[in-house]
Amino acid sequence: MNALTAKILVSDERPSVRARALLEEMTLAEKIGQMSQVEATHGYAPDYLGERLRAGQVGSIINNVDVEIVNEAQRIAVEESRLGIPLLVGRDVIHGFKTIMPIPLGLAATWNPDLVREGARVAALEASRCGVNWTFAPMIDIARDPRWGRIAESFGECVLLTSALGAAMVEGFQGDDLGEPGSIAACAKHFAGYGAVESGRDYATTNIPDTKLRNVYFRPFHAAVEAGVSTLMTSFSDLNGVPATGNSYILEDVLRGEWGFDGFVVSDWDSIRQLQIHGLTENDKDSAFEAANAGVDMEMAGDAYSTHLLSLVEEGRVELETIDRAVLSILTLKFGLGLFEKPYTEPQLLPEFGSKRALSAAREAALQSVVLLKNDDAVLPLKKSALKSLAVIGPLADARYEQLGTWIFDGDEELSITPWQAIQDMVGDDVELRHVRAMANSRGRVNPEFDVAAEAAAECDATLLFLGEESILSGEAHSRADIGLPGDQVELVHRVRAAGKPVIAVILAGRPLTLSDVVDSVDAILYAWHPGTMGGPAIADLVFGMEAPSGKLPATFPRLVGQIPIYYSQKNGGKPPSKDNVVHIDDIDTFAPQTSLGMSAFHLDTCFTPLFPFGHGLSYTEFAYDNVRVSAEEIRLGDTLTVSVDLSNRGDIEAEEVAQLYTRDVVGSITRPVKELKGFRRVRLAPGETRTVSFDLHTDDLSFYGRDGERRIEPGLFHAWIAGSCDAESRTEFRIVD
Ligand code: BGC
């Protein structure tokens, strides 16, 4: 440790005060060094990284999780650079590190912030073993287009659900105290609007009116800031003509000006230099100028800052104050993480990879993430005693890697337990099992194995068909235009159906798929997303009724791609469709052509409703919602009212239900969505039990941003529903009065 670091160490002060003291000792070049993150995939050798570390030119490294290399890089930074400033060690820990949770979209289907928090905590503990102290999660981009591959990394379409789960993930990573061993800094990404890319093509343009930015896309980020997130990442995308990485409106005016964020903003991977490719700048120097002045504090993986910031400051194009503010917040985080005291990771002080705690969080999350989409004639759960034989068919029944899903740099597939393994363990010798993979991967075509599969289906009492997408079909840069089951899976379903026995589809996928081609050809569908390490045991528990499904859709399932965007919180419009004002293309009378075909907002060739709505998810029991009521018919601004319902378990098994509160602001100075989720709760009920479920609703919860960009609550009539999906029927109402 050098003398200066020692001096700053002895002072017993807050991180920001210590950071300021250190800042005063720094040269401009050293400050710019802190604003640069360097890719360390190949370690500190080749020596250019070692030299840069010694010269104080690196604030953070990314993408090396070899403990020895990371500790050596820290050693060089701490012992051999002039100021001895430790490094932020960044890594994408998106849904687990070695032990993998369901993909974030699956985590969202749990509607369980406690589980999301615990999943992030165990991921942080595992990642810390390797010296990671900063991760690039949660991804809280609202995603309303299932073609977009990164919907897998999101919490889906809903503002409230994304905000709640994003905040929980931040809390899980950062813990109660960032300085504790096992806490890592979180990064809310990608600010802002990334999920709205045109036609779901990753990196494409976004055009989002300000009221929508504020009422939809910004809100989860505001919630993350309120939850204390340390950092934010910019989006790759162009936002209303100004790429997010050069967009001072979002980074300065809103994030810092309005929300008071005092952490720091990192670019996305080389997204500063990409400002030139966008056509915003002519060269890297201008890109550095735009990004720095827009409020990007650290450059991820590029060299625009390290090459050009110094001269930009000398030329007066970037103020020294801008640099100081950036460096201050970077150093504050480093002090907050306790890196000056403990720069090195000590794996032996942290739990093993794949610990009991991690595996149990992964199993519970997988269990709660699975959504029972349909279950004709209560074909599920299967009863071992009533079954002599079972066919287990499909490319994803026994695929340790594929079940982990996208963005799992460090995931250990050796820890995975597949459905096929778990089903064998579950049934032992009681049921004769036949396993036919049928396709090498999810994109496979018709082949002779289809005959073997059809034969197995015919010879067994029932078939479990494991379908969906392998992991590479979703995630970054993996968008699809056709989101049906890939390859010839539809044909496989039809061949198996033809055997005439019960068919249960278990679908593993990174997005909502369009299932119209198969939905009527199977008796039940369990939608398991990519369920992670413990997906197998969770699925086996559900199939055989050890547990009842309780997942709920965090995103709407369209019937056809052409319906996209389709989401529950849409606006009513002036001509909303209903059963009475739509016409189907097959019903147009050719011989007496009608001039008017319904005159409402619908497609002629499909139904105006989705295949499965947001919030949908069945159980093995039946839940009933009765007597939705409010505690007061009128409330004043600033008051709270309670909305309640009697929730009953009418079946004969214990099960969990996610009760969902929706409201509609009937008249607004800007039009308001037909429904907005305002609360949700998991409730476990014994057979025959009825319980009152209540939600407090403060008038602030009903606020929105108006035409002037200001937050407001407008007096007037509100509708409220509590139900098991957004397809809620019985409603109550109340008024806000002045
Ligand atoms: C992604 C980010 C990610 C970064 C580092 C980029 O391509 O957009 O979300 O954090 O890479 O891996």
Side-chain angles (χ1 to χ4, degrees):
M1 182 188 313
N2 64 41
L4 180 66
T5 313
K7 187 176 103 193
I8 288 160
L9 258 181
V10 287
S11 62
D12 173 26
E13 286 174 300
R14 281 165 298 145
S16 60
V17 178
R18 297 173 71 186
R20 191 166 290 284
L22 178 52
L23 185 74
E24 277 169 20
E25 309 290 335
M26 295 172 79
T27 64
L28 179 57
E30 284 164 338
K31 291 176 183 175
I32 291 167
Q34 289 302 305
M35 296 171 72
S36 305
Q37 182 184 60
V38 176
E39 184 183 1
T41 312
H42 307 294
Y44 57 92
D47 222 37
Y48 92 101
L49 181 55
E51 275 166 29
R52 292 188 65 183
L53 290 169
R54 280 181 201 98
Q57 291 171 354
V58 183
S60 170
I61 57 172
I62 180 169
N63 287 352
N64 199 309
V65 291
D66 179 313
V67 185
E68 282 177 23
I69 291 177
V70 169
N71 276 344
E72 176 61 5
Q74 288 286 23
R75 194 198 61 74
I76 298 174
V78 169
E79 292 186 11
E80 297 185 22
S81 74
R82 188 180 79 90
L83 295 176
I85 302 174
L87 296 164
L88 288 172
V89 178
R91 184 68 157 177
D92 285 274
V93 183
I94 304 300
H95 53 114
F97 188 69
K98 295 286 179 198
T99 310
I100 300 296
M101 304 291 137
I103 52 169
L105 193 59
L107 285 174
T110 70
W111 294 54
N112 189 336
D114 292 339
L115 260 182
V116 170
R117 191 181 298 105
E118 173 67 0
R121 191 71 207 150
V122 297
L125 287 165
E126 289 192 345
S128 297
R129 284 181 63 94
C130 296
V132 173
N133 51 37
W134 180 25
T135 189
F136 307 110
M139 191 190 100
I140 46 177
D141 299 306
I142 294 293
R144 294 181 171 173
D145 192 330
R147 293 171 296 186
W148 188 45
R150 297 196 87 168
I151 193 172
E153 280 180 72
S154 82
F155 293 127
E157 72 183 48
C158 175
V159 173
L160 182 82
L161 188 60
T162 301
S163 302
L165 301 183
M169 196 175 253
V170 168
E171 290 159 6
F173 285 131
Q174 299 192 165
D176 296 332
D177 175 1
L178 259 186
E180 271 172 22
S183 289
I184 64 178
C187 179
K189 69 187 188 185
H190 307 81
F191 198 55
Y194 188 30
V197 284
E198 286 176 348
S199 84
R201 263 181 313 120
D202 207 6
Y203 314 134
T205 297
T206 68
N207 288 294
I208 312 174
D210 197 56
T211 49
K212 196 165 190 179
L213 268 178
R214 288 179 175 276
N215 286 312
V216 178
Y217 291 92
F218 283 170
R219 286 186 109 148
F221 287 92
H222 196 182
V225 168
E226 307 231 296
V229 71
S230 299
T231 66
L232 259 76
M233 185 189 295
T234 63
S235 166
F236 279 128
S237 47
D238 182 325
L239 176 64
N240 301 332
V242 184
T245 303
N247 195 317
S248 62
Y249 168 62
I250 60 170
L251 300 176
E252 285 300 328
D253 301 353
V254 175
L255 176 64
R256 290 181 172 104
E258 295 179 25
W259 303 349
F261 177 66
D262 63 359
F264 73 86
V265 173
V266 64
S267 76
D268 203 343
W269 191 276
D270 208 13
S271 68
I272 295 180
R273 293 192 321 152
Q274 288 164 16
L275 293 176
Q276 183 189 350
I277 306 174
H278 277 284
L280 190 77
T281 61
E282 278 188 14
N283 51 46
D284 288 354
K285 185 168 182 180
D286 287 350
S287 297
F289 164 80
E290 291 288 347
N293 286 322
V296 177
D297 304 303
M298 184 183 282
E299 180 176 22
M300 178 185 280
D303 61 3
Y305 276 7
S306 55
T307 313
H308 300 291
L309 264 187
L310 199 111
S311 55
L312 283 166
V313 175
E314 284 168 356
E315 290 159 21
R317 293 178 68 198
V318 172
E319 299 288 332
L320 190 55
E321 279 167 24
T322 305
I323 304 289
D324 282 353
R325 188 189 68 179
V327 177
L328 194 62
S329 54
I330 294 166
L331 295 177
T332 301
L333 179 60
K334 292 183 175 185
F335 280 109
L337 282 163
L339 292 177
F340 284 84
E341 288 76 14
K342 289 189 193 152
Y344 307 115
T345 180
E346 294 176 286
Q348 69 283 3
L349 301 181
L350 292 158
E352 291 292 323
F353 296 133
S355 66
K356 208 168 148 207
R357 176 178 175 185
L359 293 176
S360 112
R363 182 169 181 156
E364 193 56 33
L367 188 76
Q368 295 190 19
S369 74
V370 178
V371 183
L372 179 63
L373 293 179
K374 66 172 276 189
N375 191 19
D376 290 352
D377 302 325
V379 63
L380 280 175
L382 296 179
K383 285 161 209 68
K384 271 197 289 181
S385 52
L387 210 61
K388 287 206 187 61
S389 55
L390 177 68
V392 178
I393 295 173
L396 295 170
D398 193 27
R400 299 167 88 92
Y401 177 79
E402 306 306 340
Q403 74 184 42
L404 301 181
T406 187
W407 269 123
I408 46 124
F409 278 145
D410 305 292
D412 181 358
E413 66 181 280
E414 293 304 311
L415 293 173
S416 290
I417 303 179
T418 68
W420 170 238
Q421 289 173 297
I423 290 164
Q424 291 175 89
D425 287 350
M426 175 86 64
V427 303
D429 296 330
D430 299 346
V431 179
E432 186 198 328
L433 294 174
R434 301 259 307 264
H435 178 212
V436 187
R437 191 178 172 103
M439 305 160 101
N441 57 45
S442 69
R443 293 160 289 132
R445 294 294 174 191
V446 174
N447 67 69
E449 280 256 301
F450 277 37
D451 296 333
V452 183
E455 198 181 289
E459 286 168 8
C460 290
D461 294 341
T463 294
L464 282 175
L465 201 43
F466 283 86
L467 305 170
E469 292 175 313
E470 58 204 287
S471 66
I472 200 161
L473 296 186
S474 59
E476 184 173 347
H478 295 148
S479 297
R480 296 178 61 202
D482 173 355
I483 54 169
L485 286 166
D488 284 335
Q489 292 186 50
V490 173
E491 174 65 17
L492 180 64
V493 173
H494 293 151
R495 296 286 297 277
V496 167
R497 167 93 272 175
K501 301 285 183 58
V503 181
I504 294 126
V506 183
I507 300 182
L508 279 68
R511 55 162 62 79
L513 295 171
T514 48
L515 300 172
S516 299
D517 288 349
V518 296
V519 69
D520 295 329
S521 303
V522 296
D523 299 286
I525 302 177
L526 280 171
Y527 210 83
W529 317 100
H530 287 130
T533 302
M534 298 301 279
I539 290 169
D541 279 353
L542 293 171
V543 165
F544 291 99
M546 314 307 286
E547 297 283 347
S550 60
K552 297 280 187 174
L553 294 181
T556 304
F557 273 47
R559 294 169 193 273
L560 291 176
V561 164
Q563 289 184 302
I564 298 169
I566 182 167
Y567 52 94
Y568 83 93
S569 61
Q570 58 194 285
K571 301 288 186 73
N572 209 33
K575 291 173 182 268
S578 74
K579 282 197 270 318
D580 305 323
N581 62 9
V582 298
V583 175
H584 192 269
I585 201 163
D586 294 342
D587 300 329
I588 302 173
D589 186 342
T590 319
F591 299 104
Q594 290 134 295
T595 47
S596 155
L597 294 175
M599 303 298 278
S600 70
F602 74 105
H603 295 109
L604 274 173
D605 46 4
T606 188
C607 189
F608 63 91
T609 58
L611 188 59
F612 297 108
F614 175 84
H616 171 73
L618 305 173
S619 174
Y620 294 154
T621 189
E622 193 200 328
F623 289 106
Y625 290 80
D626 293 303
N627 195 16
V628 183
R629 56 198 182 272
V630 281
S631 58
E633 282 171 17
E634 285 189 358
I635 49 164
R636 297 201 164 276
L637 283 176
D639 282 353
T640 299
L641 108 163
T642 307
V643 191
S644 308
V645 75
D646 299 327
L647 176 60
S648 313
N649 177 351
R650 296 246 170 101
D652 52 12
I653 59 155
E654 185 174 310
E656 276 184 25
E657 166 74 338
V658 180
Q660 303 159 34
L661 167 70
Y662 296 89
T663 61
R664 177 174 181 190
D665 183 350
V666 181
V667 178
S669 57
I670 60 164
T671 55
R672 310 289 299 121
V674 292
K675 267 182 197 139
E676 289 179 286
L677 185 75
K678 292 294 173 189
F680 57 91
R681 185 159 322 128
R682 269 188 171 261
V683 189
R684 191 166 189 98
L685 290 184
E689 186 181 351
T690 297
R691 202 180 306 162
T692 298
V693 180
S694 298
F695 294 92
D696 287 341
L697 201 54
H698 188 274
T699 52
D700 276 358
D701 298 328
L702 300 164
S703 67
F704 64 93
Y705 290 82
R707 298 180 205 185
D708 53 3
E710 296 294 324
R711 210 174 83 140
R712 65 188 60 238
I713 307 156
E714 292 179 344
L717 179 65
F718 288 78
H719 293 160
W721 300 257
I722 304 178
S725 85
C726 74
D727 254 0
E729 275 171 11
S730 65
R731 73 164 198 236
T732 182
E733 56 186 51
F734 63 91
R735 272 184 184 278
I736 296 184
V737 292
D738 269 330

